[in-house]
Amino acid sequence: MTAYPLFSGKIPSSSIFIDFQTASLSSGRLKTLFRLLMNPTAQRIKYLTDLLNRYAYEYYTLDAPSVPDAEYDKLFRELEALERNYPEFKLPDSPTQRAGTEPLTAFAEVHHEVPMLSLTNAFSPRNENGVFDHSEMYAFDERIRNGLNGKKPQYVIEPKFDGLAISLLYRDGVLVQAATRGDGTTGEDVTQNVKTVTNIPLRLHGDNIPKLIEVRGEILMLKADFITLNQHQTENDQKTFANPRNAAAGSLRQLDSRITAKRKLTFFPYSIAQQQGGKEFTTHTEEIDYLTTLGFGHKN
């Protein structure tokens, strides 16, 4: 067995010892931690996983890479080789999952503990004189005020993305499940596909990580990436996509996650459905800011 140093260079913020802070007393969990500590190859895999995830966070979220691409690629190839030779030590937040895994035969069903509801429209039609009718919007505001017992609300105005709603479940900071909205009560398990989306953290960042958190948002394809995809489809005599939303939905629902990995998708979070531990907040803006500190973001 090749001997590797436990740490080399800069120690990532999420080191192997962090696991002891969140570990349960189950014998299986403790045996896994003991095996990681005692085996030098497992230690090296853990170190590379943490380091590469930190580099990805700096690149995709902070837009402040600290190493050149060649250094990242070198470490990535080393991790790939170690995981190939020692698959029992591969971690659930390994960045090598970004490339996709073996095809599934079908998507498993996921029951949403908190229903994923859809948005209601409010239209402002314009009459023949060019005057807008905002009565539906005013009615919405009235319902909100009645629900607040007359208190004056403050609104946050955000763009409506035309993509695919996704629920991301993290336990002890690690992404363990990703599901589509489906009918709002039951969705499809698309975890392996979602792990290929580069700006979704496989492990949360920061010092105030909740024990459990369900993040909801939209996966979409940016227009520039949509144009690139259709050019590739045309060059390879394959069917092109009608619009970015169809391209995003079709890419995410591939049974072969390796196909998903080849199509550039982007995630934008917009809410937290449930949370145990971590930071408390009272406004939607604070909620979004907290998600940014956990590693969610887009460098553009």
PDB file of all heavy atoms in Angstrom, residues 171-191:
ATOM      1  N   ARG A 171     -27.644  16.644   5.039  1.00  0.00           N
ATOM      2  CA  ARG A 171     -27.529  16.164   6.414  1.00  0.00           C
ATOM      3  C   ARG A 171     -26.074  16.262   6.855  1.00  0.00           C
ATOM      4  O   ARG A 171     -25.182  15.784   6.160  1.00  0.00           O
ATOM      5  CB  ARG A 171     -28.017  14.713   6.535  1.00  0.00           C
ATOM      6  CG  ARG A 171     -29.504  14.533   6.251  1.00  0.00           C
ATOM      7  CD  ARG A 171     -29.946  13.095   6.522  1.00  0.00           C
ATOM      8  NE  ARG A 171     -31.333  12.875   6.134  1.00  0.00           N
ATOM      9  CZ  ARG A 171     -32.376  13.145   6.917  1.00  0.00           C
ATOM     10  NH1 ARG A 171     -32.160  13.629   8.121  1.00  0.00           N
ATOM     11  NH2 ARG A 171     -33.613  12.930   6.507  1.00  0.00           N
ATOM     12  N   ASP A 172     -25.851  16.898   7.987  1.00  0.00           N
ATOM     13  CA  ASP A 172     -24.483  17.123   8.473  1.00  0.00           C
ATOM     14  C   ASP A 172     -23.630  17.802   7.404  1.00  0.00           C
ATOM     15  O   ASP A 172     -22.429  17.544   7.287  1.00  0.00           O
ATOM     16  CB  ASP A 172     -23.826  15.822   8.928  1.00  0.00           C
ATOM     17  CG  ASP A 172     -24.525  15.207  10.141  1.00  0.00           C
ATOM     18  OD1 ASP A 172     -25.073  15.984  10.943  1.00  0.00           O
ATOM     19  OD2 ASP A 172     -24.523  13.973  10.274  1.00  0.00           O
ATOM     20  N   GLY A 173     -24.262  18.650   6.601  1.00  0.00           N
ATOM     21  CA  GLY A 173     -23.529  19.430   5.612  1.00  0.00           C
ATOM     22  C   GLY A 173     -23.304  18.744   4.289  1.00  0.00           C
ATOM     23  O   GLY A 173     -22.771  19.362   3.367  1.00  0.00           O
ATOM     24  N   VAL A 174     -23.711  17.486   4.139  1.00  0.00           N
ATOM     25  CA  VAL A 174     -23.456  16.723   2.912  1.00  0.00           C
ATOM     26  C   VAL A 174     -24.759  16.556   2.132  1.00  0.00           C
ATOM     27  O   VAL A 174     -25.799  16.215   2.710  1.00  0.00           O
ATOM     28  CB  VAL A 174     -22.845  15.347   3.222  1.00  0.00           C
ATOM     29  CG1 VAL A 174     -22.643  14.549   1.936  1.00  0.00           C
ATOM     30  CG2 VAL A 174     -21.511  15.515   3.944  1.00  0.00           C
ATOM     31  N   LEU A 175     -24.704  16.788   0.819  1.00  0.00           N
ATOM     32  CA  LEU A 175     -25.861  16.596  -0.040  1.00  0.00           C
ATOM     33  C   LEU A 175     -26.215  15.111  -0.107  1.00  0.00           C
ATOM     34  O   LEU A 175     -25.414  14.308  -0.572  1.00  0.00           O
ATOM     35  CB  LEU A 175     -25.579  17.131  -1.446  1.00  0.00           C
ATOM     36  CG  LEU A 175     -26.683  16.927  -2.494  1.00  0.00           C
ATOM     37  CD1 LEU A 175     -27.948  17.676  -2.103  1.00  0.00           C
ATOM     38  CD2 LEU A 175     -26.194  17.376  -3.873  1.00  0.00           C
ATOM     39  N   VAL A 176     -27.413  14.743   0.353  1.00  0.00           N
ATOM     40  CA  VAL A 176     -27.801  13.339   0.388  1.00  0.00           C
ATOM     41  C   VAL A 176     -28.966  13.036  -0.545  1.00  0.00           C
ATOM     42  O   VAL A 176     -29.198  11.864  -0.888  1.00  0.00           O
ATOM     43  CB  VAL A 176     -28.173  12.886   1.826  1.00  0.00           C
ATOM     44  CG1 VAL A 176     -26.958  12.960   2.734  1.00  0.00           C
ATOM     45  CG2 VAL A 176     -29.321  13.724   2.377  1.00  0.00           C
ATOM     46  N   GLN A 177     -29.706  14.077  -0.964  1.00  0.00           N
ATOM     47  CA  GLN A 177     -30.854  13.817  -1.832  1.00  0.00           C
ATOM     48  C   GLN A 177     -31.241  15.068  -2.614  1.00  0.00           C
ATOM     49  O   GLN A 177     -31.216  16.178  -2.079  1.00  0.00           O
ATOM     50  CB  GLN A 177     -32.053  13.357  -0.995  1.00  0.00           C
ATOM     51  CG  GLN A 177     -33.319  13.086  -1.793  1.00  0.00           C
ATOM     52  CD  GLN A 177     -34.457  12.655  -0.895  1.00  0.00           C
ATOM     53  OE1 GLN A 177     -34.555  11.484  -0.514  1.00  0.00           O
ATOM     54  NE2 GLN A 177     -35.318  13.592  -0.553  1.00  0.00           N
ATOM     55  N   ALA A 178     -31.586  14.872  -3.878  1.00  0.00           N
ATOM     56  CA  ALA A 178     -32.119  15.942  -4.718  1.00  0.00           C
ATOM     57  C   ALA A 178     -33.361  15.397  -5.407  1.00  0.00           C
ATOM     58  O   ALA A 178     -33.354  14.283  -5.932  1.00  0.00           O
ATOM     59  CB  ALA A 178     -31.090  16.394  -5.743  1.00  0.00           C
ATOM     60  N   ALA A 179     -34.436  16.185  -5.399  1.00  0.00           N
ATOM     61  CA  ALA A 179     -35.696  15.699  -5.949  1.00  0.00           C
ATOM     62  C   ALA A 179     -36.397  16.781  -6.753  1.00  0.00           C
ATOM     63  O   ALA A 179     -36.308  17.968  -6.434  1.00  0.00           O
ATOM     64  CB  ALA A 179     -36.618  15.211  -4.828  1.00  0.00           C
ATOM     65  N   THR A 180     -37.116  16.367  -7.794  1.00  0.00           N
ATOM     66  CA  THR A 180     -37.925  17.288  -8.576  1.00  0.00           C
ATOM     67  C   THR A 180     -39.228  17.582  -7.830  1.00  0.00           C
ATOM     68  O   THR A 180     -39.576  16.891  -6.868  1.00  0.00           O
ATOM     69  CB  THR A 180     -38.270  16.693  -9.952  1.00  0.00           C
ATOM     70  OG1 THR A 180     -39.025  15.483  -9.756  1.00  0.00           O
ATOM     71  CG2 THR A 180     -36.996  16.367 -10.729  1.00  0.00           C
ATOM     72  N   ARG A 181     -39.956  18.594  -8.281  1.00  0.00           N
ATOM     73  CA  ARG A 181     -41.209  18.955  -7.622  1.00  0.00           C
ATOM     74  C   ARG A 181     -42.288  17.905  -7.855  1.00  0.00           C
ATOM     75  O   ARG A 181     -43.059  17.580  -6.959  1.00  0.00           O
ATOM     76  CB  ARG A 181     -41.706  20.316  -8.129  1.00  0.00           C
ATOM     77  CG  ARG A 181     -42.916  20.842  -7.361  1.00  0.00           C
ATOM     78  CD  ARG A 181     -43.266  22.248  -7.790  1.00  0.00           C
ATOM     79  NE  ARG A 181     -43.957  22.254  -9.075  1.00  0.00           N
ATOM     80  CZ  ARG A 181     -45.281  22.131  -9.210  1.00  0.00           C
ATOM     81  NH1 ARG A 181     -46.049  21.974  -8.146  1.00  0.00           N
ATOM     82  NH2 ARG A 181     -45.834  22.165 -10.402  1.00  0.00           N
ATOM     83  N   GLY A 182     -42.361  17.354  -9.070  1.00  0.00           N
ATOM     84  CA  GLY A 182     -43.404  16.378  -9.364  1.00  0.00           C
ATOM     85  C   GLY A 182     -44.777  17.006  -9.237  1.00  0.00           C
ATOM     86  O   GLY A 182     -45.040  18.088  -9.762  1.00  0.00           O
ATOM     87  N   ASP A 183     -45.659  16.352  -8.467  1.00  0.00           N
ATOM     88  CA  ASP A 183     -47.001  16.892  -8.262  1.00  0.00           C
ATOM     89  C   ASP A 183     -47.087  17.760  -7.014  1.00  0.00           C
ATOM     90  O   ASP A 183     -48.177  18.150  -6.589  1.00  0.00           O
ATOM     91  CB  ASP A 183     -48.041  15.767  -8.197  1.00  0.00           C
ATOM     92  CG  ASP A 183     -47.801  14.807  -7.029  1.00  0.00           C
ATOM     93  OD1 ASP A 183     -46.899  15.064  -6.208  1.00  0.00           O
ATOM     94  OD2 ASP A 183     -48.510  13.793  -6.935  1.00  0.00           O
ATOM     95  N   GLY A 184     -45.927  18.072  -6.425  1.00  0.00           N
ATOM     96  CA  GLY A 184     -45.893  18.889  -5.220  1.00  0.00           C
ATOM     97  C   GLY A 184     -45.790  18.067  -3.953  1.00  0.00           C
ATOM     98  O   GLY A 184     -45.278  18.539  -2.935  1.00  0.00           O
ATOM     99  N   THR A 185     -46.275  16.837  -4.006  1.00  0.00           N
ATOM    100  CA  THR A 185     -46.205  15.926  -2.865  1.00  0.00           C
ATOM    101  C   THR A 185     -45.164  14.831  -3.078  1.00  0.00           C
ATOM    102  O   THR A 185     -44.443  14.451  -2.160  1.00  0.00           O
ATOM    103  CB  THR A 185     -47.582  15.265  -2.621  1.00  0.00           C
ATOM    104  OG1 THR A 185     -48.551  16.289  -2.371  1.00  0.00           O
ATOM    105  CG2 THR A 185     -47.536  14.327  -1.428  1.00  0.00           C
ATOM    106  N   THR A 186     -45.067  14.347  -4.314  1.00  0.00           N
ATOM    107  CA  THR A 186     -44.120  13.291  -4.667  1.00  0.00           C
ATOM    108  C   THR A 186     -43.334  13.705  -5.906  1.00  0.00           C
ATOM    109  O   THR A 186     -43.927  14.107  -6.913  1.00  0.00           O
ATOM    110  CB  THR A 186     -44.851  11.968  -4.942  1.00  0.00           C
ATOM    111  OG1 THR A 186     -45.627  11.609  -3.801  1.00  0.00           O
ATOM    112  CG2 THR A 186     -43.845  10.858  -5.237  1.00  0.00           C
ATOM    113  N   GLY A 187     -42.015  13.614  -5.809  1.00  0.00           N
ATOM    114  CA  GLY A 187     -41.153  13.935  -6.939  1.00  0.00           C
ATOM    115  C   GLY A 187     -40.250  12.780  -7.289  1.00  0.00           C
ATOM    116  O   GLY A 187     -40.423  11.660  -6.785  1.00  0.00           O
ATOM    117  N   GLU A 188     -39.263  13.036  -8.148  1.00  0.00           N
ATOM    118  CA  GLU A 188     -38.322  12.001  -8.573  1.00  0.00           C
ATOM    119  C   GLU A 188     -36.938  12.269  -7.981  1.00  0.00           C
ATOM    120  O   GLU A 188     -36.507  13.419  -7.863  1.00  0.00           O
ATOM    121  CB  GLU A 188     -38.212  11.975 -10.099  1.00  0.00           C
ATOM    122  CG  GLU A 188     -39.484  11.502 -10.791  1.00  0.00           C
ATOM    123  CD  GLU A 188     -39.347  11.506 -12.294  1.00  0.00           C
ATOM    124  OE1 GLU A 188     -38.716  12.446 -12.837  1.00  0.00           O
ATOM    125  OE2 GLU A 188     -39.865  10.591 -12.945  1.00  0.00           O
ATOM    126  N   ASP A 189     -36.263  11.197  -7.614  1.00  0.00           N
ATOM    127  CA  ASP A 189     -34.908  11.287  -7.067  1.00  0.00           C
ATOM    128  C   ASP A 189     -33.912  11.475  -8.205  1.00  0.00           C
ATOM    129  O   ASP A 189     -33.666  10.565  -8.987  1.00  0.00           O
ATOM    130  CB  ASP A 189     -34.585  10.009  -6.288  1.00  0.00           C
ATOM    131  CG  ASP A 189     -33.268  10.113  -5.526  1.00  0.00           C
ATOM    132  OD1 ASP A 189     -32.376  10.879  -5.956  1.00  0.00           O
ATOM    133  OD2 ASP A 189     -33.121   9.424  -4.503  1.00  0.00           O
ATOM    134  N   VAL A 190     -33.342  12.684  -8.302  1.00  0.00           N
ATOM    135  CA  VAL A 190     -32.370  12.997  -9.360  1.00  0.00           C
ATOM    136  C   VAL A 190     -31.022  13.382  -8.739  1.00  0.00           C
ATOM    137  O   VAL A 190     -30.296  14.227  -9.260  1.00  0.00           O
ATOM    138  CB  VAL A 190     -32.897  14.121 -10.280  1.00  0.00           C
ATOM    139  CG1 VAL A 190     -34.041  13.643 -11.139  1.00  0.00           C
ATOM    140  CG2 VAL A 190     -33.322  15.344  -9.455  1.00  0.00           C
ATOM    141  N   THR A 191     -30.698  12.741  -7.619  1.00  0.00           N
ATOM    142  CA  THR A 191     -29.493  13.099  -6.864  1.00  0.00           C
ATOM    143  C   THR A 191     -28.230  13.015  -7.707  1.00  0.00           C
ATOM    144  O   THR A 191     -27.403  13.938  -7.703  1.00  0.00           O
ATOM    145  CB  THR A 191     -29.353  12.197  -5.626  1.00  0.00           C
ATOM    146  OG1 THR A 191     -30.560  12.255  -4.857  1.00  0.00           O
ATOM    147  CG2 THR A 191     -28.185  12.646  -4.760  1.00  0.00           C
TER     148      THR A 191
END
